[in-house]
C-alpha cells in the first residue's frame, strides 16, 4: 500500500553488518544525498548523545574500557559502525595483542592459580595422534588449554584478572575411556586447576559428567547454543581488546600457530581452528 501512495518510510536502529537491510538503506540514502543534497540519513552516535546526557557518556566510556574500542558490540551499538564481512574472527591488531612474552610451561609454578578450557572431539577406530592427523588433516582433536590467572592489573577499571595461556595438550582420535583418567590427572593433580570450563554439548556431555565426578565443582559444563556461543565469543574479544588475555611467546608449535592463524572466514575450519573455541572456554573459566 505504501508503494502506491509514495508514503514516507522510516528505518531506524543499529546495523550489525554491511549486509543488513538497515545498512543497505543507509548507503542508498547517502548516495542520493550526494546527488541532490537532500538530507535523508540521520545518525547519532554515543558521543553525540553523551553531549546531552553525562550519565550515558560515563556508561559508554566504561563499556569502551571493558570491551575495547574495536569490539563488534562497541562499534555497532555505540559508534554506529557496521562490521564488514570478509575478515576473520580476530583482526591483525587483536592477533598482535594476543601475543605475550611469557614462556610456555610444561608444569605449574609454585603459588600460582590455574584454570583450563577443554574442547572434546570424537573418537577413531583407525588410529590416533600424529598418525591420524596426517591421514585426516581435517580431523578434530580434543584440546586442553591451561591458563594462569594474573591479578597484577586488577583495580577500579579492570576488575577481572588477566589470563596467561601457558600450556596446550592435544589428542586426536583417542578413545574417551582412555582419556578420562589422563584428563583428570592433568587437571586435578598436575595443574590443580581452580576451575575448568568444558564443552558439554553432544559428545562432550559424557566426558563432562565423568570429570565432574572426579573433580567436583571445579568442572564448569558449558552448553553451546547460538546465543551462548555468541556471548562467549564476545567475551573472548573483550578479553583480548582489553589486554587481559595473552598466549605464551611463539615456540613454532602447531598449537601456537593454530591460535593465530585460525581465521579463515567462509572456509572449512582446520583442527587448529578449534583454538579460538577453547580460548573462549578458558575465558569462561574465570567467570
Amino acid at each position: 500500500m505504501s508503494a502506491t501512495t509514495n508514503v514516507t518510510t522510516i528505518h531506524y536502529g543499529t546495523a550489525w553488518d554491511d549486509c543488513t537491510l538497515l545498512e543497505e538503506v543507509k548507503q542508498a540514502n547517502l548516495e542520493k544525498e550526494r546527488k541532490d543534497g537532500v538530507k535523508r540519513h540521520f545518525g547519532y552516535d554515543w558521543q553525540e548523545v553523551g553531549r546531552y546526557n553525562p550519565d550515558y557518556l560515563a556508561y559508554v566510556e566504561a563499556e569502551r574500557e571493558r570491551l575495547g574500542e574495536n569490539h563488534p558490540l562497541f562499534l555497532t551499538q555505540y559508534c554506529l559502525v557496521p562490521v564488514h564481512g570478509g575478515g576473520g574472527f580476530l583482526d591483525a591488531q587483536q592477533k598482535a595483542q594476543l601475543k605475550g612474552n611469557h614462556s610456555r610451561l610444561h608444569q605449574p609454578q609454585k603459588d600460582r592459580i590455574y584454570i583450563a578450557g577443554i574442547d572434546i572431539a570424537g573418537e577413531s577406530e583407525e588410529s590416533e595422534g600424529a598418525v591420524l592427523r596426517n591421514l585426516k588433516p581435517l580431523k578434530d582433536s580434543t584440546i586442553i588449554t591451561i591458563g594462569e590467572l594474573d591479578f597484577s592489573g586488577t583495580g577500579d577499571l579492570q576488575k577481572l584478572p588477566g589470563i596467561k595461556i601457558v600450556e596446550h595438550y592435544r589428542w586426536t582420535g583417542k578413545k574417551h575411556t582412555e582419556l578420562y583418567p589422563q584428563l583428570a590427572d592433568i587437571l586435578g593433580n598436575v595443574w590443580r586447576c581452580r576451575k575448568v570450563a568444558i564443552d558439554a554439548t553432544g559428545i562432550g556431555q559424557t566426558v563432562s559428567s565423568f570429570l565432574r565426578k572426579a573433580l567436583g565443582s571445579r568442572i564448569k559444563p558449558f552448553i553451546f547454543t547460538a546465543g551462548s556461543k555468541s556471548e562467549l565469543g564476545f567475551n573472548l574479544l573483550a578479553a583480548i581488546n582489553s589486554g587481559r588475555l595473552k598466549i605464551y611467546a611463539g615456540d613454532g608449535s602447531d598449537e601456537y600457530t593454530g591460535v593465530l592463524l585460525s581465521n579463515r572466514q567462509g572456509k572449512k575450519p582446520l583442527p587448529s581452528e578449534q583454538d579460538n573455541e577453547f580460548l573462549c572456554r578458558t575465558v569462561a573459566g574465570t567467570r
Side-chain angles (χ1 to χ4, degrees):
M1 295 294 291
S2 61
T4 61
T5 55
N6 195 31
V7 300
T8 299
T9 303
I10 299 176
H11 298 265
Y12 61 92
T14 53
W16 175 252
D17 59 36
D18 51 8
C19 297
T20 60
L21 174 62
L22 189 61
E23 182 63 18
E24 291 176 355
V25 171
K26 168 188 166 183
Q27 294 302 325
N29 284 339
L30 290 175
E31 180 62 27
K32 291 178 181 178
E33 288 181 13
R34 285 189 285 270
K35 291 180 178 180
D36 60 21
V38 178
K39 184 71 172 176
R40 295 179 177 85
H41 173 70
F42 303 86
Y44 305 96
D45 63 13
W46 69 279
Q47 292 175 314
E48 180 65 21
V49 177
R51 290 174 56 194
Y52 306 96
N53 190 330
D55 291 337
Y56 178 78
L57 180 64
Y59 172 79
V60 179
E61 287 177 339
E63 284 294 276
R64 180 177 60 181
E65 184 69 27
R66 181 179 71 88
L67 297 171
E69 60 183 11
N70 292 322
H71 193 287
L73 279 179
F74 187 80
L75 289 173
T76 57
Q77 305 306 303
Y78 300 114
C79 299
L80 308 185
V81 176
V83 177
H84 297 288
F89 184 66
L90 303 180
D91 60 27
Q93 176 182 317
Q94 289 163 332
K95 290 179 183 180
Q97 286 187 264
L98 186 58
K99 295 178 181 180
N101 53 22
H102 60 281
S103 299
R104 184 173 184 174
L105 303 177
H106 300 299
Q107 60 185 11
Q109 295 182 333
K110 187 178 180 181
D111 298 327
R112 304 294 172 87
I113 298 176
Y114 296 98
I115 58 174
I118 308 177
D119 194 40
I120 302 296
E123 303 174 333
S124 175
E125 297 298 329
E126 306 164 4
S127 54
E128 62 181 62
V131 174
L132 182 56
R133 287 194 290 272
N134 288 331
L135 291 173
K136 296 185 176 182
L138 294 180
K139 181 73 175 177
D140 284 346
S141 300
T142 292
I143 305 175
I144 295 179
T145 183
I146 304 292
E148 176 190 317
L149 296 187
D150 180 8
F151 294 90
S152 62
T154 55
D156 293 336
L157 293 178
Q158 183 56 266
K159 299 184 183 303
L160 292 173
I163 305 170
K164 295 195 294 187
I165 303 301
V166 295
E167 178 62 303
H168 290 123
Y169 297 89
R170 178 167 63 155
W171 300 269
T172 306
K174 192 166 186 175
K175 292 180 174 57
H176 291 166
T177 52
E178 298 176 7
L179 268 180
Y180 291 155
Q182 192 168 7
L183 293 176
D185 185 54
I186 289 173
L187 298 169
N189 298 324
V190 176
W191 292 95
R192 301 183 182 277
C193 292
R194 182 74 59 87
K195 189 175 291 187
V196 179
I198 179 173
D199 180 4
T201 310
I203 58 176
Q205 185 175 10
T206 302
V207 180
S208 174
S209 297
F210 172 83
L211 290 177
R212 182 84 176 181
K213 291 178 181 177
L215 301 177
S217 61
R218 287 181 285 177
I219 301 299
K220 183 179 181 181
F222 190 91
I223 305 296
F224 272 92
T225 63
S228 67
K229 185 170 185 177
S230 176
E231 180 181 4
L232 202 58
F234 287 144
N235 288 340
L236 172 61
L237 291 177
I240 294 173
N241 291 341
S242 63
R244 286 182 51 231
L245 182 64
K246 301 290 183 183
I247 188 173
Y248 49 80
D251 64 349
S253 65
D254 291 341
E255 293 84 7
Y256 179 85
T257 55
V259 171
L260 298 178
L261 300 179
S262 59
N263 297 282
R264 308 177 312 143
Q265 185 170 330
K267 300 181 181 180
K268 184 175 178 59
L270 295 170
S272 61
E273 291 175 318
Q274 292 171 279
D275 294 347
N276 282 333
E277 299 285 346
F278 66 69
L279 282 179
C280 285
R281 277 185 267 290
T282 304
V283 172
T286 66
R287 304 188 72 85

